[in-house]
Coordinates of all heavy atoms in Angstrom, one line a residue:
M23 N 0.9 -1.2 0.0 CA 0.0 0.0 0.0 C 0.9 1.3 0.0 O 1.8 1.4 0.8 CB -0.9 0.0 1.2 CG -1.9 -1.1 1.3 SD -3.4 -0.7 0.6 CE -4.3 -0.2 2.0
A24 N 0.5 2.2 -0.8 CA 1.3 3.4 -0.9 C 0.6 4.5 -0.1 O -0.6 4.5 0.1 CB 1.4 3.9 -2.4
R25 N 1.4 5.4 0.4 CA 0.9 6.5 1.2 C 0.7 7.8 0.3 O 1.6 8.1 -0.5 CB 1.8 6.9 2.3 CG 1.3 8.0 3.2 CD 1.9 8.0 4.6 NE 1.5 6.9 5.4 CZ 0.4 6.8 6.1 NH1 -0.4 7.7 6.1 NH2 0.2 5.7 6.8
F26 N -0.5 8.4 0.4 CA -0.8 9.6 -0.3 C -1.2 10.7 0.6 O -1.8 10.5 1.7 CB -2.0 9.3 -1.3 CG -1.6 8.3 -2.4 CD1 -1.8 6.9 -2.2 CD2 -1.0 8.7 -3.6 CE1 -1.5 6.0 -3.2 CE2 -0.7 7.8 -4.6 CZ -0.9 6.4 -4.3
Y27 N -0.9 11.9 0.1 CA -1.2 13.1 1.0 C -2.2 14.0 0.2 O -2.1 14.1 -1.0 CB 0.1 13.9 1.2 CG 1.1 13.0 1.9 CD1 2.0 12.2 1.2 CD2 1.1 13.0 3.3 CE1 3.0 11.5 1.9 CE2 2.1 12.1 4.0 CZ 3.0 11.4 3.2 OH 3.9 10.6 3.8
F28 N -3.2 14.5 1.0 CA -4.3 15.2 0.4 C -4.3 16.7 0.8 O -4.7 17.0 1.9 CB -5.6 14.5 0.8 CG -5.6 13.1 0.3 CD1 -5.1 12.1 1.1 CD2 -6.2 12.8 -0.9 CE1 -5.1 10.8 0.7 CE2 -6.2 11.5 -1.4 CZ -5.7 10.5 -0.6
H29 N -3.6 17.5 0.0 CA -3.5 19.0 0.4 C -4.8 19.7 -0.1 O -5.1 19.6 -1.3 CB -2.2 19.5 -0.3 CG -1.0 18.8 0.0 ND1 -0.6 18.5 1.3 CD2 0.0 18.3 -0.8 CE1 0.6 17.8 1.2 NE2 0.9 17.7 0.0
K30 N -5.4 20.3 0.8 CA -6.7 21.0 0.6 C -6.5 22.4 0.2 O -5.8 23.1 1.0 CB -7.6 20.8 1.8 CG -9.0 21.4 1.6 CD -9.8 21.1 2.9 CE -10.9 22.0 3.0 NZ -11.6 21.9 4.3
H31 N -7.2 22.9 -0.8 CA -7.2 24.3 -1.2 C -8.6 24.8 -1.2 O -9.5 24.1 -1.8 CB -6.6 24.5 -2.5 CG -5.2 23.9 -2.7 ND1 -4.1 24.6 -2.6 CD2 -4.8 22.6 -3.0 CE1 -3.0 23.9 -2.8 NE2 -3.5 22.7 -3.1
Q32 N -8.9 25.8 -0.4 CA -10.3 26.4 -0.5 C -10.2 27.9 -0.3 O -9.7 28.3 0.8 CB -11.1 25.7 0.7 CG -12.6 26.1 0.6 CD -13.5 25.2 1.5 OE1 -13.0 24.2 2.1 NE2 -14.7 25.6 1.6
D33 N -10.8 28.6 -1.2 CA -10.9 30.0 -1.2 C -9.6 30.7 -0.8 O -9.6 31.6 0.1 CB -12.0 30.5 -0.3 CG -13.3 30.0 -0.8 OD1 -13.5 29.9 -2.1 OD2 -14.3 29.8 0.0
G34 N -8.5 30.4 -1.4 CA -7.2 31.1 -1.2 C -6.4 30.5 0.0 O -5.3 30.9 0.3
K35 N -7.0 29.6 0.7 CA -6.3 28.9 1.9 C -5.8 27.5 1.5 O -6.5 26.8 0.8 CB -7.2 28.9 3.1 CG -7.7 30.2 3.6 CD -8.7 30.0 4.7 CE -9.3 31.4 5.0 NZ -10.6 31.2 5.8
Q36 N -4.7 27.2 2.0 CA -4.1 25.9 1.7 C -3.9 25.2 3.1 O -3.3 25.7 4.0 CB -2.9 26.0 0.9 CG -2.3 24.6 0.6 CD -1.0 24.6 -0.2 OE1 -0.9 25.6 -1.0 NE2 -0.3 23.6 -0.2
I37 N -4.3 23.9 3.2 CA -4.0 23.1 4.4 C -3.3 21.9 3.9 O -3.7 21.0 3.2 CB -5.4 22.7 5.0 CG1 -6.2 23.9 5.5 CG2 -5.1 21.7 6.2 CD1 -7.6 23.6 5.9
E38 N -2.0 21.8 4.4 CA -1.1 20.7 4.0 C -1.4 19.5 4.8 O -1.7 19.6 6.0 CB 0.3 21.1 4.3 CG 0.8 22.2 3.4 CD 1.4 21.8 2.1 OE1 1.8 20.6 2.0 OE2 1.3 22.6 1.2
D39 N -1.5 18.4 4.2 CA -1.7 17.1 4.8 C -0.3 16.5 5.1 O 0.3 16.1 4.2 CB -2.6 16.1 4.0 CG -2.7 14.7 4.5 OD1 -2.4 14.5 5.7 OD2 -3.2 13.9 3.8
H40 N 0.0 16.4 6.4 CA 1.4 15.9 6.7 C 1.3 14.4 7.2 O 2.3 13.7 7.3 CB 2.0 16.7 7.8 CG 2.2 18.1 7.4 ND1 3.2 18.5 6.6 CD2 1.6 19.3 7.7 CE1 3.2 19.8 6.4 NE2 2.2 20.3 7.0
K41 N 0.1 13.9 7.4 CA -0.2 12.6 7.9 C -0.3 11.6 6.7 O 0.3 10.5 6.7 CB -1.4 12.6 8.8 CG -1.6 11.3 9.6 CD -2.7 11.5 10.5 CE -3.0 10.3 11.3 NZ -4.2 10.4 12.2
G42 N -1.2 11.9 5.8 CA -1.4 11.0 4.7 C -2.3 9.8 5.0 O -2.6 9.6 6.2
R43 N -2.7 9.1 4.0 CA -3.4 7.8 4.1 C -2.9 6.8 3.1 O -2.4 7.2 2.0 CB -4.9 8.1 3.8 CG -5.5 8.9 4.9 CD -7.0 9.1 4.7 NE -7.7 7.8 4.6 CZ -9.0 7.5 4.5 NH1 -9.8 8.6 4.3 NH2 -9.5 6.4 4.4
S44 N -3.0 5.6 3.5 CA -2.6 4.5 2.6 C -3.7 4.1 1.6 O -4.9 3.9 2.1 CB -2.1 3.3 3.4 OG -0.9 3.7 4.0
F45 N -3.4 3.9 0.3 CA -4.3 3.3 -0.7 C -3.5 2.3 -1.5 O -2.3 2.4 -1.6 CB -4.9 4.4 -1.5 CG -5.8 5.3 -0.8 CD1 -5.4 6.4 -0.1 CD2 -7.2 5.0 -0.8 CE1 -6.4 7.2 0.6 CE2 -8.1 5.8 -0.1 CZ -7.7 6.8 0.6
P46 N -4.2 1.4 -2.1 CA -3.6 0.4 -2.9 C -2.9 0.9 -4.1 O -1.9 0.4 -4.6 CB -4.7 -0.6 -3.3 CG -5.9 0.0 -3.0 CD -5.7 1.1 -2.0
D47 N -3.5 2.1 -4.7 CA -2.8 2.6 -5.9 C -3.3 4.1 -6.1 O -4.1 4.6 -5.3 CB -3.2 1.8 -7.2 CG -4.7 1.6 -7.4 OD1 -5.5 2.5 -6.9 OD2 -5.0 0.6 -7.9
E48 N -2.7 4.7 -7.0 CA -3.0 6.2 -7.4 C -4.5 6.3 -7.7 O -5.1 7.3 -7.3 CB -2.1 6.6 -8.6 CG -2.4 8.0 -9.0 CD -1.6 8.3 -10.2 OE1 -0.5 7.8 -10.4 OE2 -2.0 9.1 -11.0
Q49 N -5.1 5.4 -8.5 CA -6.5 5.5 -8.9 C -7.4 5.6 -7.6 O -8.3 6.4 -7.5 CB -6.8 4.4 -9.7 CG -8.3 4.5 -10.3 CD -8.6 3.4 -11.3 OE1 -7.8 2.4 -11.5 NE2 -9.7 3.5 -12.0
A50 N -7.1 4.7 -6.6 CA -8.0 4.7 -5.4 C -7.8 6.0 -4.6 O -8.7 6.5 -4.0 CB -7.6 3.5 -4.6
A51 N -6.6 6.6 -4.6 CA -6.3 7.8 -3.9 C -7.1 9.0 -4.5 O -7.7 9.8 -3.9 CB -4.9 8.1 -3.8
C52 N -7.1 9.0 -5.9 CA -7.8 10.0 -6.6 C -9.3 9.9 -6.5 O -10.0 10.9 -6.4 CB -7.4 10.1 -8.1 SG -5.6 10.5 -8.3
R53 N -9.8 8.7 -6.4 CA -11.2 8.5 -6.1 C -11.6 9.0 -4.7 O -12.6 9.7 -4.5 CB -11.7 7.0 -6.2 CG -11.9 6.6 -7.6 CD -12.7 5.2 -7.7 NE -12.0 4.2 -6.8 CZ -11.1 3.3 -7.3 NH1 -10.6 3.4 -8.5 NH2 -10.6 2.4 -6.4
H54 N -10.7 8.8 -3.8 CA -11.0 9.3 -2.4 C -11.0 10.9 -2.4 O -11.8 11.5 -1.8 CB -9.8 8.9 -1.4 CG -9.8 9.5 -0.1 ND1 -10.8 9.1 0.8 CD2 -9.1 10.5 0.4 CE1 -10.6 9.9 1.9 NE2 -9.6 10.7 1.6
A55 N -10.1 11.5 -3.2 CA -10.1 13.0 -3.3 C -11.4 13.5 -3.9 O -11.9 14.4 -3.5 CB -8.9 13.4 -4.1
F56 N -11.8 12.8 -4.9 CA -13.1 13.1 -5.6 C -14.2 13.1 -4.7 O -15.1 14.1 -4.6 CB -13.3 12.1 -6.8 CG -14.6 12.5 -7.6 CD1 -14.5 13.4 -8.7 CD2 -15.8 12.1 -7.3 CE1 -15.6 13.7 -9.4 CE2 -16.9 12.4 -8.0 CZ -16.8 13.2 -9.1

Side-chain angles (χ1 to χ4, degrees):
M23 295 269 263
R25 182 159 293 277
F26 295 91
Y27 302 88
F28 300 87
H29 306 311
K30 179 179 161 187
H31 305 265
Q32 189 169 349
D33 294 331
K35 299 175 189 164
Q36 180 174 339
I37 300 170
E38 295 274 333
D39 175 11
H40 298 287
K41 190 175 179 181
R43 290 184 59 177
S44 294
F45 287 91
D47 55 30
E48 176 183 332
Q49 186 177 8
C52 291
R53 276 194 311 269
H54 172 76
F56 183 90

